[in-house]
Amino acid sequence: MLPKRLKRGPRLLWTLLAVLIGVSVLPLVVSHYFLIGINRDSLETLEKKYLTRSAVSIAAEVQNLAASYVQQLNKIATGVKISASLLGAGKDPFAYAAETNFIVNYTTTDNDILALSVVNRAGQGATAQPAGLGPEVQSELNRAFTVALSGQPYAGSFQYVAVLNQPAMIIAVPVADSTGAVIGAVEALVSLRRISDRIRDEGKAGVTAFLADRSGRVLIHSQPALSIQRPLVSHLRIVQEFMKAPVRLTQSYPDQQGGQKVELLGTVAPVGSPDWGVVVQKEQKQAFSSVRKMIRGTVQWGSLALLLAILVGTVFAHKLSEPIRILAARTRDIASGDHAARVEVTSRNEIGDLAENFNIMSDAIEQSMAQLKKAANENNVLFINAVRMLAAAIDAKDPYTRGHSERVARYSIAIGKHLELPPEQMRNLRISALLHDVGKIGIDDRILRKPGALSDDEFEVMKQHPEKGAAIMGGVAQLIDIMPGMRYHHEKWAGGGYPEGLVADQIPMQARIVAIADTFDAMTTNRPYQKAMDMKYVVEKIVSFGGNRFDPDVVEAFVRAVRSGDIHPEEQIRGAA
């Protein structure tokens, strides 16, 4: 027997070495080779998507800014038209605008309106602008005025206002009388500082971003020095393509930087109106640096794995015999799904220990698989319920934005903190506040978005949204603890609320908290029918509602949260036009 075992030793050694190299190391190297190509393609796709999203987002922001102020100027023009009708014949609405000096409200409340004029065809009327704008800006304002007098809106003339150290654009719209005749114009010099800040923020981590016109000249650059110099970038292929046709494009192209040729990956996104384009680019070497790291790592770890495989095979191959074959067979059984497979322990040496440990491992795997199956069943139930909830919400059409609910949730958590609610109740409070208005997805858009006061019938429909929200979420058993805040946040402490007219302690604590947070957000944010109110006034008003609409104890917690700084309205929401 001994000679036979000696003969089998080397054969098993070389076999195991070949298997270790062939099964573990070579597939690792080969898979890494193909994965490098796949990951390079995926990385390039992700980089292109990132650059495209960035360029499109900035372009949309420029377009939305221009469209927003064109719309705002049209509202002013409509107001002048109405004034002309109300003042009657022989009275100049532009002179009236100058006398009331109402345009000062726009330039003082909106920091982005640098200059504003409401003038008749002779250029007379109300004007508010800083001193020292410069002849170039004045000339462009005159040009915009002439275009507006022809009956066409004007948007897109870029200007750098040196006296204000800000980039800006000129927008003008015509003012027509009741017969449709153009009687004047409204024009504004609008700051592009937000666009400049956005482009500058985008130009980080090796990314360059800039705004250019159709002549290939930089208007705003992520590098402040180039924003002032405003160089021509028409030598870039992607800019040349934009100059030919304003279409979205992503491609690779060369450039000279520091006397060296580099390959860039970039995207251009046209703004549309004005006729500008946003370019976001990145050096390909930086974009694909992780691929080079992956190659180095593959070589290093592949070499180490090969060395370890040879060492392990050399040391242990001659010690392995029949028990290894049995262990391998039982391993295959487990891999095929037979988790009850076991190995009979017949020896008391290391092979016996290995067999015993294998059986222990098999027991653990069998128990773990049972637990995993149980957890999978529970997750499947939760998933199905979540799908049902989402389907119901989608069917009901959700017209509301997340911003309101997120703020209400934040304010509610702040109040709950000062009421010292336990963690579980705080968790339920947050979810309840986030979903408190989910029922509005079942309310008609015309009622939800009506700018004025609702009629009695419309208000009765609106009052259904707490019940609708509870009905939508009622099918999910895991959400039962968050129902009170959704269903009863319009109940009043003294009675008279809806949907059930609960009184005092009958109202769940969730609903009492969400009611105050909901009211606070409604009063401190701009709505179609009202402007955001002063913080001090809102707090005093809510305090005055204590004992009537709201729980006095919750009101006190709200006041403590405000004083501690845990509650404060978002300035960007309050200051929105």
Side-chain angles (χ1 to χ4, degrees):
M1 294 296 295
L2 184 59
K4 291 182 179 181
R5 293 181 64 183
L6 291 174
K7 289 180 181 179
R8 291 173 56 192
R11 198 165 51 245
L12 180 60
L13 170 64
W14 295 112
T15 300
L16 286 177
L17 285 176
V19 169
L20 286 171
I21 295 173
V23 175
S24 61
V25 178
L26 288 182
L28 178 66
V29 174
V30 172
S31 64
H32 271 68
Y33 174 79
F34 286 105
L35 284 175
I36 287 170
I38 295 172
N39 287 336
R40 180 182 176 87
D41 294 339
S42 300
L43 187 61
E44 183 174 357
T45 301
L46 290 175
E47 286 291 342
K48 287 180 178 180
K49 286 183 178 179
Y50 167 74
L51 296 176
T52 299
R53 283 197 301 267
S54 298
V56 170
S57 175
I58 296 173
E61 194 168 337
V62 176
Q63 187 179 48
N64 291 339
L65 179 69
S68 172
Y69 280 101
V70 167
Q71 183 180 14
Q72 188 165 339
L73 295 192
N74 279 326
K75 289 181 180 179
I76 297 175
T78 301
V80 175
K81 177 181 178 181
I82 295 173
S83 297
S85 300
L86 295 176
L87 291 173
K91 293 187 178 181
D92 185 1
F94 298 96
Y96 177 75
E99 292 172 2
T100 57
N101 204 23
F102 78 96
I103 66 172
V104 174
N105 294 332
Y106 289 93
T107 58
T108 56
T109 59
D110 190 338
N111 293 331
D112 287 340
I113 298 181
L114 306 178
L116 180 65
S117 297
V118 182
V119 294
N120 58 22
R121 297 186 67 91
Q124 300 172 343
T127 300
Q129 65 181 39
L133 286 181
E136 184 177 349
V137 178
Q138 291 291 353
S139 174
E140 204 59 38
L141 286 170
N142 293 336
R143 179 186 173 192
F145 176 67
T146 302
V147 173
L149 290 184
S150 69
Q152 299 295 324
Y154 179 90
S157 174
F158 179 86
Q159 297 293 320
Y160 184 80
V161 185
V163 69
L164 299 176
N165 193 25
Q166 289 191 42
M169 65 185 298
I170 294 174
I171 299 175
V173 298
V175 179
D177 59 15
S178 58
T179 67
V182 178
I183 60 175
V186 180
E187 60 179 347
L189 182 64
V190 178
S191 172
L192 295 176
R193 59 181 177 82
R194 286 185 290 176
I195 305 301
S196 177
D197 292 342
R198 173 66 191 283
I199 291 176
R200 189 173 300 176
D201 290 340
E202 200 67 40
K204 296 177 180 178
V207 176
T208 299
F210 59 85
L211 180 69
D213 58 22
R214 289 293 298 281
S215 68
R217 183 169 296 280
V218 169
L219 304 179
I220 301 175
H221 201 284
S222 56
Q223 298 180 23
L226 295 182
S227 292
I228 298 175
Q229 297 171 8
R230 296 181 57 196
L232 280 171
V233 289
S234 53
H235 64 283
L236 294 176
R237 186 192 305 164
I238 199 166
V239 176
Q240 293 171 358
E241 296 295 334
F242 169 70
M243 293 168 64
K244 293 177 184 177
V247 295
R248 187 190 305 172
L249 179 66
T250 300
Q251 63 177 204
S252 299
Y253 48 92
D255 187 23
Q256 291 288 335
Q257 294 182 1
Q260 294 183 346
K261 184 178 179 180
V262 295
E263 282 292 325
L264 300 175
L265 179 66
T267 293
V268 61
V271 174
S273 178
D275 195 10
W276 301 339
V278 177
V279 176
V280 180
Q281 61 186 18
K282 188 175 185 180
E283 190 175 344
Q284 280 193 1
K285 184 172 65 174
Q286 292 183 344
F288 304 141
S289 60
S290 59
V291 176
R292 294 192 298 274
K293 293 180 181 178
M294 187 185 305
I295 294 174
R296 289 196 299 268
T298 300
V299 173
Q300 293 171 355
W301 286 106
S303 301
L304 179 60
L306 178 61
L307 178 61
L308 288 175
I310 294 174
L311 291 176
V312 170
T314 302
V315 173
F316 294 104
H318 68 281
K319 295 182 179 180
L320 303 178
S321 59
E322 184 65 13
I324 296 299
R325 186 190 64 79
I326 298 175
L327 283 173
R330 297 292 83 78
T331 302
R332 286 193 295 271
D333 292 339
I334 289 182
S336 64
D338 182 10
H339 302 117
R342 299 292 183 272
V343 174
E344 182 180 359
V345 180
T346 58
S347 62
R348 295 291 178 262
N349 56 17
E350 292 80 1
I351 297 299
D353 293 338
L354 181 61
E356 187 175 0
N357 290 336
F358 176 85
N359 290 336
I360 295 173
M361 179 190 70
S362 299
D363 291 336
I365 290 176
E366 189 173 15
Q367 294 176 11
S368 298
M369 291 302 300
Q371 294 174 356
L372 286 174
K373 289 180 181 179
K374 181 180 178 182
N377 290 333
E378 293 176 352
N379 288 336
N380 186 54
V381 172
L382 181 59
F383 173 76
I384 292 174
N385 287 337
V387 171
R388 290 173 56 197
M389 179 186 70
L390 291 175
I394 293 171
D395 289 341
K397 296 184 307 179
D398 183 1
Y400 211 79
T401 61
R402 288 189 306 166
H404 168 70
S405 296
E406 290 175 352
R407 292 191 298 275
V408 170
R410 189 166 66 252
Y411 301 151
S412 298
I413 289 300
I415 297 172
K417 170 186 172 183
H418 286 270
L419 286 171
E420 298 182 353
L421 297 182
E424 183 64 23
Q425 292 186 28
M426 291 286 279
R427 173 186 173 276
N428 293 336
L429 174 62
R430 181 187 296 275
I431 299 175
S432 178
L434 284 171
L435 298 176
H436 78 286
D437 272 346
V438 72
K440 288 186 178 179
I441 61 178
I443 304 298
D444 194 325
D445 291 356
R446 293 173 297 175
I447 296 177
L448 283 175
R449 296 172 177 169
K450 185 175 180 181
L454 300 179
S455 66
D456 291 342
D457 290 341
E458 290 170 337
F459 186 63
E460 288 301 317
V461 173
M462 179 64 78
K463 287 166 61 176
Q464 298 173 8
H465 80 269
E467 293 284 11
K468 286 180 178 288
I472 291 173
M473 298 301 173
V476 184
Q478 291 86 346
L479 298 180
I480 191 66
D481 292 332
I482 61 101
M483 291 296 174
M486 295 170 51
R487 189 168 189 173
Y488 301 115
H489 67 277
H490 282 294
E491 298 286 359
K492 297 181 180 179
W493 182 255
Y498 62 89
E500 297 183 8
L502 302 181
V503 178
D505 291 336
Q506 294 176 347
I507 306 171
M509 178 58 74
Q510 271 184 15
R512 301 181 222 168
I513 296 172
V514 173
I516 294 179
D518 188 28
T519 301
F520 177 77
D521 185 68
M523 296 176 72
T524 55
T525 55
N526 285 320
R527 298 296 177 93
Y529 50 84
Q530 74 171 30
K531 287 191 174 182
M533 303 177 189
D534 179 71
M535 175 75 167
K536 181 179 179 182
Y537 171 80
V538 172
V539 173
E540 291 175 350
K541 199 69 177 174
I542 290 177
V543 170
S544 70
F545 290 152
N548 181 15
R549 286 182 58 179
F550 304 135
D551 180 350
D553 293 337
V554 180
V555 171
E556 289 181 6
F558 163 76
V559 173
R560 291 195 298 271
V562 171
R563 290 175 178 171
S564 67
D566 291 335
I567 289 183
H568 55 83
E570 299 178 4
E571 292 300 327
Q572 64 270 28
I573 301 299
R574 291 167 53 81

